[in-house]
Amino acid sequence: MFDYKRLEAVDIQGEPPRYEPERQYYYMKKCREWAEQEEERAGRPLTMSIQTLGCQMNAKDSEKMTAVLAYMGYQETVEPVADFVLYNTCTVRENANLKIYGRLGYLKNHKKKNPHMKIALCGCMMQEKDEVEKIKRSYPFVDLVFGTHNIYKLAEILYRQIQSGHRVVDVWDEPEEIVEDLPGKRKYPFRTGVNIMFGCNNFCSYCIVPYVRGRERSREPEDIIREISALVADGVVEVMLLGQNVNSYGKTLEQPISFAELLRQVEKVEGIRRIRFMTSHPKDLSDELIAVMRDSKKICPHLHLPLQSGRSSILAQMNRRYTKEQYLNLARKLKTEIPQISLTTDIIVGFPGETEEDFQETMDVVGLVGFDTAFTFIYSKRTGTPAAAMKDQVPEDVVKERFERLLKKVQETGAKVSGRQLHTVQEVLVEEVNDHDSRLMTGRLGNNTIVHFPGTEALIGKIVRVSLDEFKGFYYLGKIKNKQDKEAR
Ligand code: 5AD
Ligand code: SF4
C-alpha cells in the first residue's frame, strides 16, 4: 500500500533510484517541483482532465494516474480542456478509436491558445503500432504516448518530456514487473476496484485484448489482501476484484491458488462489506466458486458472465470453448444454488458467418437465462485478430437490424426479471445524490440494481435497509427502513 512517508524519504538531489516504487516517487517529486514553477508562471492552480474510455481496468488505471498528477499539484476538472489532458484509451471496438481522433481534433485549437498545455495518450489503443504511427504523423501536438504496461511510469515519462521539450513515445510490447505501493485516488471514497490480475490468455478470435494487455499475470494474494485491508482502514466498504478473466486467477503463481480461495481470504478481511468481481469466463467458472458465492455473506449475488453468442458453432469459431448447452447448464446451476443471483452478460451481434438461424439461438438464450442486463455490441473487425481474416463478414444493414431486435429482447427480459425483489426490504449501498432530484439518494443493491429513495448526503457510503416499493423497468423507488438511518434523513 502507498505510504506517504516512504515517498517523503526519497532524495531528489542525486540520481534516480533503480528500483520501484522509489524510482517513481523520485520522478513524482521532480515533476512536482516543475509544476510549482508552472503554477507561478500561470498565476493560478494547474488543472487536469482525465478522460477514460473502456472497462473497469482502465478506470482503475486512471485512478492511479490521477493520484500521481494530483501529487504534482494538478487539480481535477470535469472540463474537457485543462493544463494536462490525458486520454486513457480503449481499442476493443473501432468506434472507441474514432472517438479519440475526434477529441484530439477538438484539442488542437486549444493547444494553440495555451502552448503550455500537455496532451497525453495512454492505454490499450496505444499498444497498436498503426495507431501510434498515425499519431506521430498527424497529431504532432500530442506530448506523451505510452501503453498499458508502463502506466505506472507516468511521472518518469512526463519528466523526460519536460526535460527534453520533445514528444515522448514509450510503448512496451511486453509487460515487465507488477509494481506495488503506488498511490491511488478513488473516485468514490467508499468503493474501489482492486486489480488481482492483468492480461488475458484466452485469445477469443474477435478480441484484441490479449494483444494489447499481454499474457495473464496474477498478483500475489498477500499483496491483494494487504491492499484491501488498508483500503478498509481508509473507509472502503465495497471492492471490485478486477481481471480480464478472474476465474483463472492464481494459476501462474509460484504457489498456485484458485480464485475461489482468494475470495475466501478476502471475505475474512474485517470491515469489508461487499465483494464484487469482474469478468468471469464461463469455461473456467468452477463449482468451488459457486459454493463460495453461495455460502458468503459478503460476495454480492451478481455475476457478469459474457455469453457472446448463443450458437455453439459460432462459439467454436469465437474460440470460447463452451457450447450453448454448457452455458445454459451453468446458468441453471447458478440460479439453483444462489436463487437471488442476478446474471448479466455481453453479446456480440454480426460475428463473421452469423446467419439468421444462429442469431435466433442467441435470442433464445437471452429468453431462457433471463439476464438482468446485457451489454450488446456490434461486431467490430480488429486488425490482427483471427476473426478479421474470416470470410462472410455480415453486411452492416443486416447486423443493425439484428442488433435492434436483440436490444428490444434484452430490455423486455431485463424488465421482467430485475423487478423480482419488489416489496421486499434490502440492503443498499448509498452512492450519490440523485442526478435529477436532489431530495433523492441513489444506491445499489448487492445484485447491482439501482435504487432511488428520499435521504440526505450524510448517508453516502453507508449501507442502509430500504423497502423496494415501486419497480420502474430497471430501477426501484423505495424508502429507508431502519431507525437510525431514518434519523439521518
Ligand atoms: N467486436 C465487438 N465486441 C467486442 N468485444 C470484444 N471484442 C469485440 C469486437 N471485436 C466485446 C465482448 C467483450 C466486451 C468487453 O467487448 O462482448 O465481452
Ligand atoms: Fe477478450 Fe476473450 Fe480475453 Fe475477454 S476472455 S478479454 S473477450 S480474449
Side-chain angles (χ1 to χ4, degrees):
M1 196 66 191
F2 175 64
D3 179 356
Y4 193 75
K5 283 195 213 99
R6 223 169 125 189
L7 180 146
E8 283 298 297
V10 173
D11 172 19
I12 58 168
Q13 300 316 319
E15 289 295 301
R18 273 182 61 199
Y19 298 105
E20 301 294 1
E22 268 71 17
R23 188 176 171 86
Q24 294 317 306
Y25 296 165
Y26 173 93
Y27 285 112
M28 282 163 67
K29 290 173 88 168
K30 283 281 196 193
C31 288
R32 183 173 160 133
E33 275 187 352
W34 165 82
E36 277 164 6
Q37 291 163 16
E38 275 292 283
E39 205 170 293
E40 233 164 76
R41 180 193 53 71
R44 56 169 176 78
L46 299 179
T47 55
M48 62 170 149
S49 172
I50 303 205
Q51 301 180 40
T52 311
L53 283 99
C55 65
Q56 300 280 345
M57 297 288 247
N58 268 18
K60 179 70 192 180
D61 285 342
S62 289
E63 285 191 357
K64 294 178 190 167
M65 292 188 287
T66 306
V68 168
L69 292 170
Y71 173 78
M72 294 174 196
Y74 285 102
Q75 295 185 0
E76 270 181 281
T77 165
V78 288
E79 298 298 321
V81 181
D83 297 304
F84 196 111
V85 179
L86 172 69
Y87 291 132
N88 190 1
T89 63
C90 169
T91 187
V92 153
R93 286 167 293 276
E94 167 134 47
N95 50 9
N97 292 18
L98 298 177
K99 230 182 240 172
I100 291 296
Y101 289 119
R103 292 195 190 177
L104 282 178
Y106 170 77
L107 278 187
K108 190 176 173 183
N109 289 330
H110 287 280
K111 175 118 186 192
K112 273 194 200 136
K113 279 185 234 149
N114 175 11
H116 296 283
M117 181 178 178
K118 302 261 177 237
I119 301 178
L121 293 174
C122 69
C124 294
M125 184 178 152
M126 299 304 113
Q127 292 295 139
E128 286 185 275
K129 291 202 168 61
D130 289 354
E131 303 295 354
V132 172
E133 283 311 313
K134 186 166 164 183
I135 284 158
K136 279 193 198 161
R137 227 178 22 245
S138 313
Y139 298 85
F141 54 92
V142 173
D143 303 290
L144 310 177
V145 175
F146 51 106
T148 53
H149 303 311
N150 54 347
I151 281 214
Y152 71 89
K153 280 194 182 266
L154 167 61
E156 185 172 343
I157 297 169
L158 174 59
Y159 193 66
R160 263 166 62 198
Q161 197 281 329
I162 297 164
Q163 289 292 300
S164 68
H166 296 298
R167 167 169 57 201
V168 175
V169 177
D170 189 0
V171 181
W172 302 355
D173 287 340
E174 298 290 332
E176 286 183 1
E177 55 193 324
I178 296 179
V179 176
E180 299 286 344
D181 303 326
L182 286 170
K185 188 163 195 304
R186 301 193 294 277
K187 192 168 166 217
Y188 296 97
F190 51 88
R191 179 178 86 188
T192 191
V194 172
N195 296 111
I196 63 165
M197 61 195 299
F198 303 90
C200 180
N201 284 355
N202 287 320
F203 290 95
C204 300
S205 64
Y206 49 81
C207 185
I208 202 163
V209 167
Y211 307 91
V212 296
R213 289 230 171 226
R215 296 292 64 71
E216 250 170 51
R217 287 131 14 240
S218 296
R219 282 177 73 196
E220 292 292 339
E222 300 77 44
D223 288 333
I224 296 170
I225 299 298
R226 206 159 50 92
E227 178 176 347
I228 295 176
S229 305
L231 287 168
V232 168
D234 198 34
V236 166
V237 290
E238 178 178 302
V239 285
M240 164 87 87
L241 308 180
L242 298 172
Q244 282 329 317
N245 179 16
V246 292
N247 302 110
S248 61
Y249 168 78
K251 286 184 182 161
T252 51
L253 287 174
E254 228 163 83
Q255 288 183 324
I257 136 169
S258 69
F259 178 55
E261 179 51 34
L262 176 73
L263 280 174
R264 277 194 205 102
Q265 293 187 17
V266 177
E267 171 124 26
K268 284 193 200 129
V269 175
E270 217 165 295
I272 195 76
R273 302 281 301 275
R274 282 182 168 182
I275 304 163
R276 299 183 186 278
F277 53 87
M278 184 95 127
T279 292
S280 293
H281 194 304
K283 80 175 162 62
D284 297 314
L285 200 136
S286 64
D287 288 349
E288 187 195 7
L289 175 64
I290 299 177
V292 170
M293 286 183 79
R294 179 197 60 206
D295 299 337
S296 168
K297 293 221 162 41
K298 297 182 178 176
I299 302 171
C300 292
H302 171 214
L303 197 64
H304 186 69
L305 196 62
L307 165 69
Q308 312 300 5
S309 167
R311 175 72 151 187
S312 297
S313 57
I314 294 283
L315 287 169
Q317 289 290 307
M318 287 177 161
N319 193 29
R320 292 290 288 174
R321 285 170 279 176
Y322 55 84
T323 61
K324 171 186 182 182
E325 289 69 31
Q326 283 167 330
Y327 189 97
L328 285 173
N329 281 337
L330 188 57
R332 211 169 294 131
K333 195 162 21 169
L334 282 159
K335 289 196 167 188
T336 313
E337 295 289 327
I338 313 162
Q340 73 280 25
I341 200 164
S342 123
L343 293 177
T344 57
T345 201
D346 292 341
I347 300 171
I348 298 176
V349 183
F351 183 80
E354 184 191 74
T355 63
E356 176 60 27
E357 206 187 340
D358 299 333
F359 174 70
Q360 278 306 330
E361 294 221 27
T362 300
M363 296 277 273
D364 239 26
V365 176
V366 170
L368 287 169
V369 174
F371 295 109
D372 275 61
T373 27
F375 299 97
T376 49
F377 305 108
I378 286 182
Y379 167 73
S380 170
K381 189 172 167 177
R382 309 310 291 126
T383 311
T385 61
M390 287 180 187
K391 289 200 297 285
D392 302 329
Q393 303 274 336
V394 186
E396 207 179 305
D397 53 335
V398 176
V399 181
K400 284 224 165 101
E401 190 272 334
R402 282 183 198 158
F403 182 81
E404 293 303 324
R405 272 189 285 158
L406 178 65
L407 200 62
K408 197 158 166 262
K409 174 106 186 171
V410 160
Q411 283 164 351
E412 281 167 10
T413 326
K416 264 188 232 150
V417 299
S418 331
R420 61 189 169 289
Q421 286 166 305
L422 186 64
H423 303 310
T424 64
V425 176
Q426 300 292 337
E427 288 194 338
V428 173
L429 172 58
V430 188
E431 295 189 349
E432 57 203 356
V433 178
N434 186 291
D435 283 347
H436 303 291
D437 182 348
S438 61
R439 287 164 303 178
L440 296 181
M441 301 304 292
T442 297
R444 269 170 213 273
L445 299 178
N447 72 12
N448 221 26
T449 311
I450 288 177
V451 185
H452 305 293
F453 56 94
T456 63
E457 269 181 66
L459 295 173
I460 292 178
K462 296 202 172 119
I463 293 181
V464 294
R465 289 171 61 73
V466 175
S467 66
L468 308 177
D469 305 331
E470 258 183 89
F471 181 63
K472 295 285 198 183
F474 59 97
Y475 64 88
Y476 289 103
L477 293 177
K479 277 193 277 323
I480 291 187
K481 270 298 172 207
N482 42 345
K483 216 171 128 252
Q484 66 272 44
D485 293 330
K486 262 190 180 162
E487 280 157 14
R489 263 192 309 172

